[in-house]
Structure formats: structure tokens, C-alpha cells
Amino acid sequence: MARAKGGLGWTADPEDIGALLGARHDDPFGVLGPHTVGRGTVIRAFVPGAETVEAVDADSGVIAALTRVHDGGVFEGKVTGRKGRFRYRLRCANAGGGWEFDDPYGFGPILGPTDDYLFAEGTHKQLYEKLGAHPKEHEGVPGVHFAVWAPNARRVSVVGDFNAWDGRRHQMRRRVDSGVWEIFAPGLAEGAIYKYEIVGADNTVLPLKADPFGFASELRPSTASVVARTDRFDWADDAHMAHLKTMDARRTPISIYEVHLGSWRRGEGGRYLTWDELADQLVPYAADMGFTHLEFLPISEFPFDPSWGYQPIGLFAPTARFGTPDGFARLVDRAHRAGLGVLLDWVPAHFPTDVHGLARFDGTALYEHQDPRQGFHPDWKTAIYNFGRREVVNYLAANALYWLDRFHVDGLRVDAVASMLYLDYSRKEGEWIPNREGGNQNLEAVAFLRTINTLVYGEHPGAMTVAEESTSWPGVSQPAHAGGLGFGFKWNMGWMHDTLDYVSKEPVHRKWHHDKLTFGLLYAFSENFVLPLSHDEVVYGKRSIIEKIPGDDWQKFATARAYYAFMWGHPGKKLLFMGQEFGQRAEWNFEQGLDWHLLGDARHEGLRRLIRDLNAGYRREGALHQTDCLPDGFRWSVVDDREQSVIAFLRFADPASGQGARPVAVLCNFTPVPRPAYRVGLPAAGRWLEILNTDAAAYGGSGMGNLGAVMATDQPSHGLPASAEVTLPPLATLWLALDGYQG
């Protein structure tokens, strides 16, 4: 530390000067800046390239002439008559001219003991308001406050164009209680490009690191963080946000349009659309199609396009591929004003090991486990977060809340939950470490997921979380306080695999696989399910939905229409990946837009029109959405007609809703053979309207049907008190609704 020495009486210790110039000092604020000396103050400054330096203020002009005490650019001078903290600037000159600036070492800290305590405890809900880069006024001066967690570092500096990427210029203040480093850089503003230069405990200078809390990033392949504000957007979605707080998602229609923003549509020359262009084009399209939500594949900054965003580095930064954070906010705002919710795919399971990212951030396994049996993912060659470390949990929890707080998103779909839950996920014997009880459950990840879900639902009533979880882990969508993981919903991967396998069979063979249609109802209400036909099902040789189906084009499109209507009638919320709504033939290619020209073909346009009508019917008919998660809302009518590949089931509204919604019957014929006069059991006699027929000519079908309605009599059938003879068109699904029903 600095002490009395030399001709001025208070010259810095040469060892301190050497450490500063070598950028190895762990307490630069203990040397640089103002320091009380007796009745006055000594000011020390590091200004490489300067020949003269003076400390000045607006009232008195020069308050101290600083003497160069080291040729490397260290200056020192005594100010008499002033003690404590006061405002000053440094006026510098050399042969090339003069310049003046506020000394970053003349400012006190911004973070306080409460921040240290909450972060160390892992409970700082708005941690993103403290760490990262924040433009603000401090002690009357505008600038940017930088703060980063690097507890094992020997020295941390913020570097950028503003200091010629010189790690000696903005060496940061260490906060011992939390391991956070901070500095206020006067004169900086939004748009400044920066990284952190870190010296590890072994005295090694690490590769420059992007800010873990950076709110914006450079466009890849550049990797620096960019100073940005995400706290001042002028929102116009008050009505949507107010409605969200009153909504029980389990009992409302949820039909999700899953979108990869980089390949939904491209601009001229194959360029990405901007956030605002997506707001102009995607939002009205999805709203017109009747979807209730948009779900975006990860939009947090990521370096590698083929990862589709699932290997993010900048968790707090909307990707620069489409513009600035304000642009993303405008997209969400436009969606809300159009009646669409917005869900984000969120990736807390793992992170890439790119050198500018989180991997060995301060020279140690900080965010990840040290042992690769716990900290390295063999499938994706990525690092696994250390969910047992409070600060890491706090980082991820703050990120989850950040997207809801700052960008008003309606919820998070959490990626790769199964990989988080099991310590032996994709690992052979000897490649994983059992938990403290000797089992393969990742108890720390379980606690983390419960924490995240409790926070999201506690801080944002009406928001939703969805788990991509493919195993039989119990209680994924049960409340955390009841022993569940606390998610609102879980993807029904079993239903997806079974039913896609079924429709991929030749119709003549489907009778041998009838259980693929019916088995899902044995567990359909064990969780709150979303039925997903996602991006994962239309890549890597799996073919698009339309091309999974055998037969000629007539059979392909007829089967697809029947399958979609079966899905929309089946219990569970709906999710459909972009392009499948109009029968995209090619597999999804993230490097180009969808084949929109196909809509010039009546078959493709007919399929798109059907999806729009399915969404409209799903939203209109309470029986089709109020009891998606309630077993009382479902009853089989025809479950065992495997010989004819016919099924029929009933959906009932929730009596507690008080809306008196009519029951709906869903009838499916998955062969190309028409079934005239097919008797089906119904809950009541009367006129049943044919409210949907996927074989209608408007959808590209043959036009076979029931002239708009069937009459049910009191003749019992299939264990129900009434029945009707119905014409089942080939490869078609019908929806029937009781006319004049008074609930």
C-alpha cells in the first residue's frame, strides 16, 4: 500500500507503482485517486503519454500540479486545505496537445454492503441492476458503472476503445465480501464497447471476457459487450399485462407458434429481418392465424449460428443479429397489443466454452464444476452450471426474472431439463459422480429449478414456465411446495413420438399400431401438458411433418389435416413449429427462410387455412381448452376400433367456469376408406353441428361430410346414453358440437 516515502513526503511505494504499471495490483484504489494526508489530500493518477498533469476544478481552476514520479505515466501532487471526497478533473498535455477528463479513481463505490450480502447469499432478485454496465450519473458526473463477479482474480480491468484496450487504465475496485469488482468510468455512455481483462490467481492474463451481465453485444463474429440500457422502453401493453395477472393458463386456450427468428423469413439478399420488420410481418401473421403465443428459439446472444441459440454466451443480451435491445422490446410490445403472448426458450442447463465466455471466467471453474464428470456435457461439448453455488444460482435466477421484468415476456420454456435432472445423463458407468445419497438425481439442479419456478410465479403472477423434459420424472408441473419441480407445463414428448410414429405408417398398417393414438390418454392428466410438434422433429433427417406421412400428395395432406385436428381436439396445450402450418416440404434449414411460395398451391393454402380454423375453434369452444389439464373433461366414445383405424372421444367444459360451454365430439378416420353410417356414442340426443371437417373442399379435401349436422337419438352406444350415425370421410377428423346446449 502507499506510504510516506521520498522527496514529496507522500510518494507512492515503488512496489505499488510497479504493480500498477504491470497491471497486477489488487487494490488500485488504495494507490490512485485522492488520499487524505494530514490536513490535505494527495492525488495520484496514471496517465500514460502525458508530459504534464494538473488537478483542476470548475471553481478554483488548478488545485494541484502533479509531478511525474514514474516515466510510465504515474503522477502525484498534494492538495492543501481539502479533505474527504471532492470533485476534480485531470488536465493533461504533451507535445501533441492537451486533453481533460474526470479521474475514474476520484469516485467512490456504488455498490453497498447489502448488495454484497444478498449476492453472497444468492438471493439478489434484481442482481442485473447491480452487475453489468449501467449508464448513470454518479457524484454529479455522467458515466458508466461496471461491476463483475470474479472472486479468484488477482486483478480485473474494464477495457475498450475508450482506453485503447489498456488493462492498466481502468483497474477495478475489489469488494472483498462478495468477490465483485467495480469501477465508475466517467464520460462513457451507451454504445461503448468493452470487455474485462482478468489476471488469474496464478498471475496469468486470461483471454478477454465478455460481460456475463452485458445487455448488448457486438454482432458476431465480434464478441465484445456493448453498453446499453434496457430500463426505459415506453411500453403500451398495459391491457395485456393486466389481463395476464388474472389468467389461469391451465384453463385458457394456449396455441403456440414456435419460431426461429433467423429463418422464418429473410429479407432481400438473404439478410436477417430486423426486430421491427419481424414486428411488422410475424406478429400480424401469427395473430391472423389465431395462435395465442409466439415462442422464440433462444434470442440471448450466441456466437455460433448452427447452435440455433441453444449455446448462449450473453444471457442478458438480445442477439445483435436483429438489432438493438429496444427493437426486441418493440417486438414484444407489438405482439402484446395484437393479443399474442411471448415465450422465450431459456437455456440454464449448460454454456459453451468459447474463451470470451463464462468458462473458467476468473481462471477457475467459477460458473461450472471443476470435475468434468459434473461440469462437462459429453453430447454438446459444453460446460454445465454449478447449481450448488449460490452465486451461480443467483446469476441464472436474476436472468430469468430479467426477461420478465425488463422485456415483459410472458414466460420461459426451459430447455434440456432432463439433462439437468440426472447426473448420469448421456454418461457411462464411471463417468459421473453419485449424489450425497448415492443416487443419480442431481439434487442441486432440482433445488435450482424449484427456486426458479417459485420466483417466476411469485414475482410475475400469470407468467408461465414450460419444461422440455422427456423422462418420467414425477411432478414436473406440480407446485414446488408440494414436492414438484414447480413448472406450469411440461412438453408431452411421449404423445409426440407415438402419434408421429402412427401417422408415418401406411394406412393399411395403422390398425396394428392403434395404441399409439390411445396410450397417451393413460397419463394425459398426470402433468399439465403441452403437445409439441417442435423444431426438433423436422431436422437432422427426420423430414418435415408432411413428408413423414406416406402416400401420394392427396394422402399426405389429408392425413396431416386429420392429424392436426386430432391434436387440437386432444387434451393439452398446442405447439407447432413454423412452416408446418402450411406443409413445408423441406426439412427446416436455419440458413434460409421458409418456402412461402408454396402457399400458391391450393393444398398448402388449404392446410394453412385449416390451422387458422383449428385455432379459432379451439379458442371458441370452452370444452376444447378449459379442461386440457382435467380428467373430468375427457371421455372415450370409440377407443378400440383398430380394424377401421377410427377413434372418437368427447371433450367437456369445466363446470366451475360458469360459462356453460357445449360438449364437443372428436371423430377420426385414419384410413382412406370412407365410413358411412358409422355409429358413435354421444352424451345427449339432439342436433350435433359439424363445426369442423378436415375433408372440406375449402381445405383441399373431397368435400364428403354430413351436410353440416347429424341427429343423435336416445339409442345407447359405446356406454353413452345417445348415439348418431355419422359419415366419416376418408383420412379425416370431424368436430361435432351439441346445438342449442344449455349448460
Side-chain angles (χ1 to χ4, degrees):
M1 297 300 297
R3 62 177 185 269
K5 189 178 183 71
L8 289 178
W10 291 97
T11 300
D13 190 315
E15 292 182 7
D16 284 331
I17 293 177
L20 285 170
L21 295 177
R24 293 297 190 276
H25 206 294
D26 62 358
D27 184 22
F29 280 84
V31 181
L32 298 176
H35 297 273
T36 299
V37 179
R39 296 177 182 166
T41 298
V42 63
I43 293 177
R44 299 189 190 91
F46 174 59
V47 192
E51 295 178 1
T52 63
V53 176
E54 296 173 322
V56 301
D57 69 11
D59 297 326
S60 307
V62 177
I63 58 175
L66 277 59
T67 301
R68 182 161 55 191
V69 296
H70 194 285
D71 290 341
V74 179
F75 293 80
E76 181 179 74
K78 198 168 186 180
V79 181
T80 59
R82 299 197 187 199
K83 297 181 68 174
R85 191 163 297 283
F86 55 90
R87 170 84 185 275
Y88 70 91
R89 289 170 63 81
L90 296 175
R91 182 181 295 163
C92 312
N94 59 22
W99 68 98
E100 190 173 309
F101 64 95
D102 286 288
D103 182 6
Y105 295 95
F107 294 85
I110 290 179
L111 301 180
T114 300
D115 297 311
D116 293 332
Y117 177 81
L118 292 176
F119 180 43
E121 188 181 55
T123 58
H124 206 312
K125 295 178 183 177
Q126 280 74 45
L127 187 61
Y128 58 83
E129 293 182 352
K130 302 299 182 179
L131 300 189
H134 297 270
K136 60 177 55 193
E137 187 174 290
H138 180 44
E139 297 178 4
V141 178
V144 175
H145 177 245
F146 296 94
V148 64
W149 181 52
N152 303 303
R154 180 170 177 178
R155 185 266 297 172
V156 180
S157 299
V158 61
V159 295
D161 291 338
F162 52 87
N163 62 12
W165 299 88
D166 184 346
R168 302 173 300 166
R169 305 279 280 273
H170 286 81
Q171 299 180 57
M172 303 172 77
R173 172 189 281 114
R174 181 204 294 268
R175 302 188 65 84
V176 176
D177 291 341
S178 61
V180 170
W181 299 72
E182 68 168 329
I183 194 170
F184 178 72
L188 295 189
E190 291 181 78
I193 295 171
Y194 71 100
K195 282 187 175 181
Y196 293 112
E197 183 179 279
I198 300 173
V199 175
D202 63 356
N203 214 28
T204 300
V205 180
L206 303 176
L208 295 181
K209 295 288 189 178
D211 190 346
F213 281 82
F215 301 134
S217 296
E218 289 185 296
L219 179 62
R220 55 91 180 93
S222 298
T223 57
S225 301
V226 179
V227 176
R229 294 188 62 172
T230 60
D231 60 348
R232 61 179 184 183
F233 183 72
D234 186 16
W235 292 94
D237 63 347
D238 290 352
H240 176 91
M241 300 303 289
H243 172 70
L244 190 65
K245 294 178 181 178
T246 67
M247 189 178 74
D248 181 350
R250 296 169 300 172
R251 290 171 170 80
T252 58
I254 294 179
S255 179
I256 301 164
Y257 188 49
E258 188 191 34
V259 178
H260 177 260
L261 292 173
S263 58
W264 178 72
R265 183 174 284 160
R266 290 286 182 98
E268 64 279 1
R271 68 169 179 84
Y272 288 133
L273 299 182
T274 66
W275 296 120
D276 291 304
E277 288 172 323
L278 289 162
D280 290 338
Q281 299 178 39
L282 171 60
V283 167
Y285 175 79
D288 176 71
M289 287 294 293
F291 290 101
T292 65
H293 289 75
L294 291 166
E295 180 177 322
F296 300 147
L297 272 62
I299 58 101
S300 294
E301 194 58 78
F302 59 101
F304 187 49
D305 287 3
S307 79
W308 313 332
Y310 289 101
Q311 293 193 13
I313 279 187
L315 280 188
F316 289 81
T319 177
R321 288 167 175 80
F322 313 116
T324 65
D326 279 357
F328 176 64
R330 288 191 294 272
L331 172 58
V332 176
D333 194 57
R334 286 279 293 278
H336 285 174
R337 287 187 282 142
L340 291 165
V342 175
L343 306 177
L344 296 185
D345 277 14
W346 187 56
V347 189
H350 62 117
F351 58 90
T353 56
D354 300 57
V355 295
H356 69 285
L358 297 181
R360 299 193 68 81
F361 188 78
D362 63 357
T364 67
L366 188 62
Y367 287 87
E368 69 272 40
H369 285 276
Q370 173 69 30
D371 193 320
R373 292 175 296 173
Q374 298 172 292
F376 186 74
H377 201 293
D379 287 351
W380 303 314
K381 313 304 180 190
T382 51
I384 299 171
Y385 286 104
N386 183 349
F387 300 113
R389 187 157 195 169
R390 292 188 298 269
E391 297 93 341
V392 173
V393 170
N394 201 166
Y395 166 72
L396 292 169
N399 183 249
L401 293 177
Y402 167 80
W403 292 106
L404 281 76
D405 292 343
R406 289 286 175 86
F407 290 103
H408 288 199
V409 301
D410 299 72
L412 304 171
R413 175 269 197 187
V414 183
D415 180 61
V417 171
S419 75
M420 302 169 67
L421 293 175
Y422 298 96
L423 296 166
D424 59 349
Y425 186 91
S426 288
R427 296 179 188 274
K428 300 175 183 176
E429 188 68 30
E431 295 179 349
W432 59 282
I433 300 176
N435 63 32
R436 61 179 177 269
E437 298 172 359
N440 68 338
Q441 300 88 1
N442 190 334
L443 302 179
E444 294 167 342
V446 170
F448 163 75
L449 292 170
R450 288 172 174 163
T451 295
I452 294 296
N453 287 313
T454 300
L455 279 172
V456 168
Y457 283 100
E459 297 291 316
H460 292 274
M464 59 189 286
T465 59
V466 182
E468 186 213 14
E469 205 285 315
S470 56
T471 75
S472 57
W473 187 282
V476 171
S477 60
Q478 298 304 307
H481 64 77
L485 293 183
F487 286 95
F489 295 92
K490 171 183 172 175
W491 275 17
N492 193 335
M493 310 292 276
W495 176 92
M496 177 270 295
H497 285 299
D498 284 350
T499 58
L500 284 179
D501 183 61
Y502 179 83
V503 297
S504 70
K505 306 295 184 187
E506 293 285 350
V508 70
H509 297 146
R510 286 176 182 158
K511 64 182 179 180
W512 305 109
H513 303 275
H514 195 69
D515 61 311
K516 298 286 188 179
L517 288 183
T518 61
F519 180 69
L521 268 302
L522 294 178
Y523 60 86
F525 307 103
S526 62
E527 301 274 5
N528 302 326
F529 279 122
V530 172
L531 309 181
L533 296 179
S534 76
H535 64 279
D536 277 330
E537 312 321 315
V538 294
V539 290
Y540 297 146
K542 297 177 185 176
R543 297 170 294 172
S544 65
I545 299 295
I546 202 75
E547 292 298 338
K548 293 178 192 291
I549 299 169
D552 58 20
D553 262 8
W554 184 87
Q555 288 190 328
K556 286 179 182 292
F557 280 88
T559 303
R561 294 193 300 267
Y563 177 54
Y564 285 148
F566 160 72
M567 171 181 173
W568 258 255
H570 192 285
K573 308 308 179 184
K574 326 301 175 190
L575 180 143
L576 188 65
F577 184 57
M578 63 182 197
Q580 310 316 303
E581 79 275 14
F582 62 77
Q584 170 93 5
R585 290 182 181 272
E587 282 192 341
W588 169 47
N589 182 352
F590 73 93
E591 295 182 302
Q592 63 186 45
L594 298 176
D595 294 331
W596 293 101
H597 65 275
L598 293 175
L599 289 174
D601 184 312
R603 293 164 297 184
H604 293 276
E605 172 57 25
L607 185 58
R608 188 195 68 82
R609 190 178 294 120
L610 171 70
I611 295 296
R612 183 172 59 185
D613 289 352
L614 289 176
N615 279 329
Y618 173 61
R619 298 173 78 157
R620 181 186 66 246
E621 302 294 334
L624 293 179
H625 63 254
Q626 292 174 5
T627 55
D628 273 331
C629 306
L630 297 174
D632 292 345
F634 178 88
R635 190 192 190 286
W636 281 111
S637 176
V638 179
V639 66
D640 56 358
D641 189 359
R642 65 174 57 246
E643 286 299 320
Q644 299 187 86
S645 297
V646 171
I647 61 168
F649 55 85
L650 298 162
R651 298 293 306 278
F652 300 95
D654 181 7
S657 70
Q659 298 178 16
R662 59 190 178 181
V664 174
V666 179
L667 293 71
C668 306
N669 174 15
F670 281 105
T671 72
V673 180
R675 309 292 181 189
Y678 189 96
R679 183 163 295 279
V680 61
L682 294 168
R687 187 167 182 257
W688 285 73
L689 302 175
E690 188 178 80
I691 61 173
L692 184 99
N693 179 350
T694 66
D695 194 47
Y699 304 138
S702 65
M704 185 180 294
N706 297 276
L707 300 178
V710 299
M711 291 299 300
T713 66
D714 289 325
Q715 178 179 339
S717 182
H718 299 102
L720 290 161
S723 64
E725 287 190 344
V726 181
T727 294
L728 299 182
L731 293 174
T733 293
L734 305 178
W735 288 359
L736 306 178
L738 183 58
D739 189 23
Y741 174 76
Q742 300 294 321

